[in-house]
């Protein structure tokens, strides 16, 4: 799922982001940060987000940076 989500993020925001880095981990950790700011944490919410929700959260965070 993470690779598919990474592909969608790149496709959706390719003109707004410089890079995307996937960091493999274990223990159910799934976190998304943008420029050092935590956008989403599965550890905090207890649930894995769906793609539309993640794209919305990232888009919202990018708009606040403009």
């Amino acid at each position: 799922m993470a690779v598919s989500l990474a592909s969608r993020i790149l496709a959706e925001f390719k003109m707004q982001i410089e890079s995307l880095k996937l960091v493999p981990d274990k223990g159910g950790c799934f976190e998304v940060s943008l420029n050092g700011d935590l956008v989403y944490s599965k550890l905090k919410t207890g649930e894995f987000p769906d793609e539309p929700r993640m794209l919305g959260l990232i888009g919202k965070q990018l708009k606040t940076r403009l």
Side-chain angles (χ1 to χ4, degrees), residues 4-55:
S4 173
L5 180 55
S7 295
R8 288 289 314 262
I9 291 168
L10 287 173
E12 184 81 20
F13 303 110
K14 63 183 171 188
M15 301 303 287
Q16 297 170 287
I17 60 175
E18 286 184 29
S19 65
L20 178 70
K21 178 171 62 171
L22 296 176
V23 181
D25 203 350
K26 53 187 167 184
C29 177
F30 180 86
E31 295 185 322
V32 175
S33 296
L34 182 62
N35 297 324
D37 295 328
L38 186 63
V39 175
Y40 184 85
S41 173
K42 179 182 172 247
L43 296 175
K44 289 183 180 180
T45 64
E47 56 188 52
F48 198 88
D50 59 21
E51 282 187 15
R53 181 174 180 197
M54 283 307 309
L55 292 173

